[in-house]
Amino acid sequence: MLSSAACRRSSPGACPAPSLPRHPLAVTSVRVGMLGCGYWGPNLLRNLMQNTRLEVVVLADQSAERRAFAQDRYPGLNCVEDAEDVFQNSDVEAVVIATPADTHGALVAAALEAGKDVFVEKPLSLSGAEASKLAARAEELGRILMVGRTFLF
């Protein structure tokens, strides 16, 4: 039997395409819940909604005005007031957090404990010690924890 390289050299059209293993992180769609649609949230929401590999399942914001803003832009988007509704939603696989910085630590912890992967806008926490604990907890739980950086994601 010819090696694949030899097969391609001798008769390129006759060689079967190599079968590649599916990458463990390759997914067709990730179902996302979002927290916060204030200052930076609309930018993230726009990008999430435009990404064909994501489905925004629910957005939570305490402000009725911000929920109305999101629903006006994205009719049919399920908007709720309480972040707990996002954490308890079994359809949500990952949570995007774009809330005031002083809420990040507690929301990240709650999302991780609910079994969700997390993308949080910077800062992860207002305390280095809390940030270290959150990173360690994500690792213990086998969850992804990613901190955003302006204009990179």
Side-chain angles (χ1 to χ4, degrees):
M1 179 178 342
L2 293 173
S3 71
S4 22
C7 181
R8 283 192 299 277
R9 281 193 304 273
S10 64
S11 52
C15 300
S19 70
L20 300 174
R22 184 170 165 85
H23 190 281
L25 296 179
V27 294
T28 55
S29 180
V30 175
R31 294 180 311 263
V32 175
M34 184 164 167
L35 307 181
C37 195
Y39 176 72
W40 198 249
N43 298 312
L44 292 175
L45 182 59
R46 181 188 72 247
N47 284 292
L48 295 170
M49 296 299 279
Q50 290 175 349
N51 188 323
T52 59
R53 298 187 75 187
L54 300 175
E55 176 189 353
V56 180
V57 174
V58 60
L59 175 132
D61 197 297
Q62 293 178 341
S63 165
E65 180 182 321
R66 298 314 296 166
R67 291 192 306 273
F69 167 86
Q71 288 175 319
D72 286 346
R73 291 248 184 322
Y74 306 101
L77 177 61
N78 180 23
C79 293
V80 298
E81 183 177 359
D82 192 349
E84 194 62 32
D85 293 336
V86 175
F87 302 142
Q88 298 307 314
N89 188 323
S90 62
D91 289 334
V92 172
E93 300 170 281
V95 175
V96 173
I97 301 174
T99 58
D102 62 342
T103 66
H104 289 183
L107 291 172
V108 167
L112 291 171
E113 294 304 325
K116 313 298 184 189
D117 294 323
V118 179
F119 173 93
V120 59
E121 268 306 324
K122 63 179 177 65
L124 170 57
S125 169
L126 297 182
S127 144
E130 182 182 42
S132 294
K133 287 178 185 175
L134 292 168
R137 187 63 179 147
E139 189 170 340
E140 287 170 13
L141 294 170
R143 304 308 326 170
I144 295 169
L145 174 57
M146 180 177 176
V147 180
R149 173 127 168 102
T150 307
F151 303 120
L152 290 183
F153 308 108

Short mmCIF file of all heavy atoms in Angstrom, two decimals, residues 35 87 97-111 118-126 130 134 145 147-148:
data_model
loop_
_atom_site.label_atom_id
_atom_site.label_comp_id
_atom_site.label_asym_id
_atom_site.label_seq_id
_atom_site.Cartn_x
_atom_site.Cartn_y
_atom_site.Cartn_z
N LEU A 35 -25.25 38.38 30.76
CA LEU A 35 -25.60 39.21 31.90
C LEU A 35 -25.11 40.63 31.65
O LEU A 35 -23.92 40.85 31.47
CB LEU A 35 -24.94 38.68 33.18
CG LEU A 35 -25.17 37.21 33.53
CD1 LEU A 35 -24.46 36.87 34.84
CD2 LEU A 35 -26.64 36.90 33.61
N PHE A 87 -28.45 31.33 35.21
CA PHE A 87 -27.68 30.23 35.80
C PHE A 87 -28.49 28.93 35.86
O PHE A 87 -27.94 27.85 35.68
CB PHE A 87 -27.22 30.59 37.22
CG PHE A 87 -26.38 31.83 37.29
CD1 PHE A 87 -26.51 32.72 38.34
CD2 PHE A 87 -25.44 32.13 36.31
CE1 PHE A 87 -25.74 33.87 38.42
CE2 PHE A 87 -24.66 33.28 36.37
CZ PHE A 87 -24.82 34.14 37.43
N ILE A 97 -20.50 37.81 30.81
CA ILE A 97 -20.78 38.78 31.87
C ILE A 97 -20.24 40.15 31.48
O ILE A 97 -19.03 40.31 31.27
CB ILE A 97 -20.18 38.32 33.21
CG1 ILE A 97 -20.78 36.95 33.59
CG2 ILE A 97 -20.41 39.35 34.30
CD1 ILE A 97 -20.16 36.31 34.82
N ALA A 98 -21.14 41.12 31.40
CA ALA A 98 -20.80 42.51 31.06
C ALA A 98 -21.56 43.42 32.01
O ALA A 98 -22.40 44.21 31.59
CB ALA A 98 -21.13 42.81 29.61
N THR A 99 -21.28 43.27 33.27
CA THR A 99 -21.96 44.02 34.33
C THR A 99 -20.94 44.93 35.00
O THR A 99 -19.74 44.85 34.69
CB THR A 99 -22.55 43.04 35.36
OG1 THR A 99 -21.50 42.23 35.88
CG2 THR A 99 -23.63 42.16 34.73
N PRO A 100 -21.35 45.78 35.96
CA PRO A 100 -20.37 46.60 36.66
C PRO A 100 -19.28 45.73 37.32
O PRO A 100 -19.55 44.62 37.80
CB PRO A 100 -21.21 47.32 37.71
CG PRO A 100 -22.57 47.41 37.08
CD PRO A 100 -22.73 46.11 36.34
N ALA A 101 -18.07 46.25 37.31
CA ALA A 101 -16.89 45.49 37.76
C ALA A 101 -17.05 44.92 39.17
O ALA A 101 -16.57 43.81 39.44
CB ALA A 101 -15.64 46.36 37.68
N ASP A 102 -17.73 45.64 40.06
CA ASP A 102 -17.84 45.15 41.43
C ASP A 102 -18.77 43.95 41.56
O ASP A 102 -18.85 43.33 42.62
CB ASP A 102 -18.26 46.27 42.39
CG ASP A 102 -19.63 46.85 42.08
OD1 ASP A 102 -20.13 46.67 40.96
OD2 ASP A 102 -20.19 47.52 42.97
N THR A 103 -19.46 43.57 40.49
CA THR A 103 -20.32 42.39 40.51
C THR A 103 -19.66 41.16 39.88
O THR A 103 -20.18 40.05 40.00
CB THR A 103 -21.64 42.65 39.76
OG1 THR A 103 -21.36 42.85 38.37
CG2 THR A 103 -22.37 43.87 40.33
N HIS A 104 -18.55 41.34 39.20
CA HIS A 104 -17.95 40.26 38.42
C HIS A 104 -17.64 39.02 39.25
O HIS A 104 -17.98 37.90 38.85
CB HIS A 104 -16.70 40.73 37.70
CG HIS A 104 -16.98 41.65 36.57
ND1 HIS A 104 -15.97 42.14 35.75
CD2 HIS A 104 -18.12 42.20 36.10
CE1 HIS A 104 -16.50 42.94 34.83
NE2 HIS A 104 -17.81 42.99 35.03
N GLY A 105 -16.95 39.19 40.37
CA GLY A 105 -16.52 38.04 41.16
C GLY A 105 -17.67 37.14 41.56
O GLY A 105 -17.64 35.91 41.34
N ALA A 106 -18.72 37.71 42.13
CA ALA A 106 -19.86 36.91 42.59
C ALA A 106 -20.60 36.26 41.42
O ALA A 106 -21.02 35.10 41.52
CB ALA A 106 -20.82 37.78 43.40
N LEU A 107 -20.74 36.98 40.31
CA LEU A 107 -21.45 36.42 39.16
C LEU A 107 -20.65 35.30 38.51
O LEU A 107 -21.22 34.28 38.10
CB LEU A 107 -21.78 37.51 38.15
CG LEU A 107 -22.83 38.53 38.61
CD1 LEU A 107 -22.94 39.67 37.61
CD2 LEU A 107 -24.18 37.86 38.83
N VAL A 108 -19.34 35.47 38.41
CA VAL A 108 -18.49 34.42 37.85
C VAL A 108 -18.59 33.18 38.73
O VAL A 108 -18.77 32.06 38.22
CB VAL A 108 -17.02 34.89 37.72
CG1 VAL A 108 -16.09 33.71 37.44
CG2 VAL A 108 -16.89 35.92 36.62
N ALA A 109 -18.49 33.35 40.04
CA ALA A 109 -18.57 32.21 40.97
C ALA A 109 -19.90 31.48 40.80
O ALA A 109 -19.94 30.25 40.72
CB ALA A 109 -18.39 32.69 42.40
N ALA A 110 -20.99 32.23 40.73
CA ALA A 110 -22.31 31.62 40.58
C ALA A 110 -22.44 30.87 39.26
O ALA A 110 -23.00 29.76 39.21
CB ALA A 110 -23.40 32.68 40.70
N ALA A 111 -21.92 31.45 38.19
CA ALA A 111 -21.98 30.79 36.88
C ALA A 111 -21.17 29.49 36.89
O ALA A 111 -21.63 28.46 36.39
CB ALA A 111 -21.48 31.73 35.79
N VAL A 118 -17.51 30.50 31.27
CA VAL A 118 -17.70 31.94 31.51
C VAL A 118 -16.73 32.78 30.69
O VAL A 118 -15.53 32.50 30.65
CB VAL A 118 -17.50 32.29 33.00
CG1 VAL A 118 -17.66 33.78 33.24
CG2 VAL A 118 -18.45 31.50 33.89
N PHE A 119 -17.28 33.81 30.05
CA PHE A 119 -16.49 34.91 29.48
C PHE A 119 -16.91 36.14 30.28
O PHE A 119 -18.10 36.47 30.33
CB PHE A 119 -16.83 35.12 28.00
CG PHE A 119 -16.18 36.34 27.40
CD1 PHE A 119 -14.95 36.24 26.76
CD2 PHE A 119 -16.77 37.59 27.49
CE1 PHE A 119 -14.35 37.38 26.21
CE2 PHE A 119 -16.19 38.71 26.95
CZ PHE A 119 -14.96 38.60 26.32
N VAL A 120 -15.96 36.80 30.90
CA VAL A 120 -16.27 37.98 31.71
C VAL A 120 -15.42 39.14 31.22
O VAL A 120 -14.23 39.00 30.94
CB VAL A 120 -16.05 37.71 33.22
CG1 VAL A 120 -14.62 37.30 33.52
CG2 VAL A 120 -16.46 38.90 34.07
N GLU A 121 -16.03 40.29 31.12
CA GLU A 121 -15.27 41.49 30.78
C GLU A 121 -14.29 41.78 31.91
O GLU A 121 -14.54 41.43 33.07
CB GLU A 121 -16.22 42.67 30.57
CG GLU A 121 -16.65 42.84 29.15
CD GLU A 121 -15.51 42.94 28.14
OE1 GLU A 121 -14.45 43.52 28.44
OE2 GLU A 121 -15.68 42.41 27.04
N LYS A 122 -13.20 42.43 31.58
CA LYS A 122 -12.23 42.79 32.62
C LYS A 122 -12.81 43.84 33.55
O LYS A 122 -13.66 44.62 33.10
CB LYS A 122 -10.92 43.25 31.99
CG LYS A 122 -11.04 44.52 31.15
CD LYS A 122 -9.69 44.90 30.60
CE LYS A 122 -9.76 46.09 29.71
NZ LYS A 122 -10.15 47.34 30.32
N PRO A 123 -12.45 43.79 34.78
CA PRO A 123 -11.57 42.83 35.45
C PRO A 123 -12.35 41.60 35.89
O PRO A 123 -13.57 41.65 36.08
CB PRO A 123 -11.10 43.60 36.68
CG PRO A 123 -12.28 44.46 37.05
CD PRO A 123 -12.89 44.86 35.72
N LEU A 124 -11.63 40.50 36.05
CA LEU A 124 -12.24 39.29 36.57
C LEU A 124 -12.79 39.55 37.97
O LEU A 124 -13.88 39.09 38.32
CB LEU A 124 -11.21 38.16 36.60
CG LEU A 124 -11.57 36.87 37.32
CD1 LEU A 124 -12.85 36.28 36.75
CD2 LEU A 124 -10.42 35.89 37.23
N SER A 125 -12.04 40.29 38.74
CA SER A 125 -12.43 40.59 40.12
C SER A 125 -11.73 41.87 40.53
O SER A 125 -10.76 42.28 39.90
CB SER A 125 -11.99 39.43 41.02
OG SER A 125 -12.12 39.79 42.38
N LEU A 126 -12.20 42.49 41.60
CA LEU A 126 -11.51 43.67 42.13
C LEU A 126 -10.39 43.27 43.08
O LEU A 126 -9.67 44.14 43.57
CB LEU A 126 -12.52 44.59 42.83
CG LEU A 126 -13.60 45.17 41.93
CD1 LEU A 126 -14.51 46.10 42.71
CD2 LEU A 126 -13.00 45.89 40.74
N GLU A 130 -9.32 36.97 45.11
CA GLU A 130 -10.57 36.42 44.61
C GLU A 130 -10.39 35.91 43.18
O GLU A 130 -10.91 34.84 42.82
CB GLU A 130 -11.69 37.45 44.65
CG GLU A 130 -13.03 36.89 44.17
CD GLU A 130 -14.15 37.92 44.15
OE1 GLU A 130 -13.91 39.07 43.73
OE2 GLU A 130 -15.27 37.54 44.55
N LEU A 134 -11.17 32.15 41.84
CA LEU A 134 -12.08 31.87 40.73
C LEU A 134 -11.40 31.02 39.65
O LEU A 134 -12.00 30.08 39.13
CB LEU A 134 -12.62 33.16 40.14
CG LEU A 134 -13.57 33.96 41.03
CD1 LEU A 134 -13.80 35.36 40.46
CD2 LEU A 134 -14.89 33.22 41.22
N LEU A 145 -12.87 29.58 31.84
CA LEU A 145 -13.02 30.93 32.39
C LEU A 145 -12.10 31.83 31.58
O LEU A 145 -10.89 31.64 31.57
CB LEU A 145 -12.64 30.97 33.88
CG LEU A 145 -12.61 32.35 34.54
CD1 LEU A 145 -13.94 33.07 34.40
CD2 LEU A 145 -12.21 32.20 36.01
N VAL A 147 -11.24 35.93 30.44
CA VAL A 147 -11.43 37.35 30.73
C VAL A 147 -11.24 38.14 29.43
O VAL A 147 -10.25 37.95 28.72
CB VAL A 147 -10.43 37.84 31.80
CG1 VAL A 147 -10.63 39.32 32.10
CG2 VAL A 147 -10.58 37.01 33.07
N GLY A 148 -12.20 39.02 29.14
CA GLY A 148 -12.16 39.80 27.92
C GLY A 148 -11.09 40.88 27.95
O GLY A 148 -10.66 41.33 29.01
#
